[in-house]
Amino acid sequence: MSTARHGGGRARTLATAALALALSGASLTAATATATASAGARTDRLSTAADGAQLDGGSTDGAISGDGRHAAFVTRAPALGCDTYLHCLKLKDLRTGALTGIDLGSGHLYGNPLLSDDGGRVAFTANKRFAAPYLHDRATGATTRLWPTDPPGRNELGAVHAISPDGTRVAYTVGNRNGNQNARLLYVRDTTTGTDELISAPEEGDKGGASVADDGTRVAYQIGGYSEGPDDSGDVFLKEPATGARVQLDTGLGTAELVRITGDGRRILFNAGGGLYVHTVRTGATARVADGRARSATADGRHVVLSTADGLRLLDLRTGRGTDVGPADARAGHGAVTAKGRAVVFSSGATDLVPGDTNGVPDVFVRHTR
C-alpha cells in the first residue's frame, strides 16, 4: 500500500498525569496533553484491492483487530463486485494484503464490523429486509446469525454492539420497528456453548450500546441515545449477570454514552458532559480523565481515540501524550484502535493522506503511530 505522513498538531484535550490515580480512586490532576510524532508514523489506505490499487467506489465502517494484523471495511466498489445498493463487507490481512469477503447472499447490506483481538472472529450487522446480528469465524469460514430462542414479544430487528477481546462473547440487541423498540432486548452470546443470556429486558428501555468482558461476568450497557443537548437522554449501567447486581455509573453527570468495558472487566469508559470518564469497579470511583468525546478504546482502557473539531486524536491516559491521527472529517467506530495504540482505523474523504488518491470517494485509512 502507498503511504504518506499525516502531521501532528497541538493537543487540545486534558488527560490525567497518571491513569493509576483514577484507577485507585485518588483525585485527578489534569495536565495538558502533549502532541507526539514518531519517526515510524505513517498513514496507509486500507480500502484497496489486494494489489494495493485504489477502489472505484467509496468505503466506510473500518475496524481492526487488537493485534493489528486483520481489518474489515464496508465498500461499494464495483471492482470488488459491489455497488451503491449492494455494498460488501471485506476482510483484509494487513501483512499480506490478501482480501476476502463475507457474503450472505444477494441483497444484503452490511455495517458495524468488530474484530476479536486476533482477528479470528468478526461480528457485524447485516440487513436484507430486516437487520440482524452475525458472527463470522475466519478459521472455519462459517457465519452464524445471532438470535435467542423464543425472545419475549415481537422481534424482527437485531444489531451487534460488541465482541469481547478474546472473541468468546458477543453483545447484541433484538427488537421491532415500533417507535423506540428497535433494541428492546440485550443478549450476550457465549460462542463456546452457543447459549444466549438475557442481560436487559424491555422494561429498561431501548439499548444504545453494550460491551462485555472476556469472561462474561460483567456487562456494561447504555439505555437511551446520546445527545449533546440539555436533556438527559442516555445512562450507562454495569451488570453482573451471575448475581443480577446492577448499578448506574453516570448518576449526576447528565447524558452519558458508553465507550467500552475493559477486557478484564475492571473498568468502564464512558462519555458524559463533554468529557471521558473511567469507573473503577473495585473502588466504585468514577473520575473524569479527559475532555472530548471518545469513539474507541483499547481493551486495557489505556489508549482512547477522541473526536475533536480538528479531527481524531489518540490519547494515552497514563502518560497524557496525545497524537493527531485523522483529519477533521475522519470517522472512527468502536473497533478503531489496536493494542497499545499502535494503529487507528478511520474513514475520510480527504485526498491528501496518501499519494495518488484520485478516486473522489471516501476511503478507509489506517494510521500507524509508531
Side-chain angles (χ1 to χ4, degrees), residues 8 24 28 45 63 66 69 78 111 127 140 152 176 187 204 218 222 243 286 288 295 325 350-351 359 366:
S24 66
L28 293 174
R45 182 157 45 178
R69 170 76 186 265
N127 185 340
T140 65
N176 58 57
Y187 287 89
E204 284 195 88
R218 292 182 178 128
Q222 176 185 333
T243 65
T286 300
R288 186 178 177 114
R295 299 291 186 171
V325 293
T351 60
N359 60 7
V366 55

Side-chain angles (χ1 to χ4, degrees), residues 271-291:
N271 299 314
L276 173 67
Y277 287 78
V278 172
H279 175 85
T280 304
V281 177
R282 180 179 62 84
T283 64
T286 300
R288 186 178 177 114
V289 295
D291 286 343

Side-chain angles (χ1 to χ4, degrees), residues 147-157 174-176 181 183-187 196-203 207:
W147 205 266
T149 301
D150 297 326
R154 184 169 66 85
N155 303 284
E156 58 203 4
L157 304 173
V174 299
N176 58 57
Q181 297 288 299
R184 56 195 294 272
L185 296 159
L186 171 63
Y187 287 89
D196 299 282
E197 183 172 14
L198 178 63
I199 304 299
S200 177
E203 292 74 22
K207 284 68 183 177

Side-chain angles (χ1 to χ4, degrees), residues 160-174:
V160 158
H161 289 275
I163 185 169
S164 63
D166 66 1
T168 61
R169 288 169 174 82
V170 182
Y172 68 95
T173 55
V174 299

Side-chain angles (χ1 to χ4, degrees), residues 144 146-149 168 172 188-197:
T144 304
L146 305 177
W147 205 266
T149 301
T168 61
Y172 68 95
V188 168
R189 165 68 62 91
D190 184 325
T191 62
T192 302
T193 65
T195 57
D196 299 282
E197 183 172 14

Side-chain angles (χ1 to χ4, degrees), residues 105 130 288 296:
F130 299 118
R288 186 178 177 114
S296 185

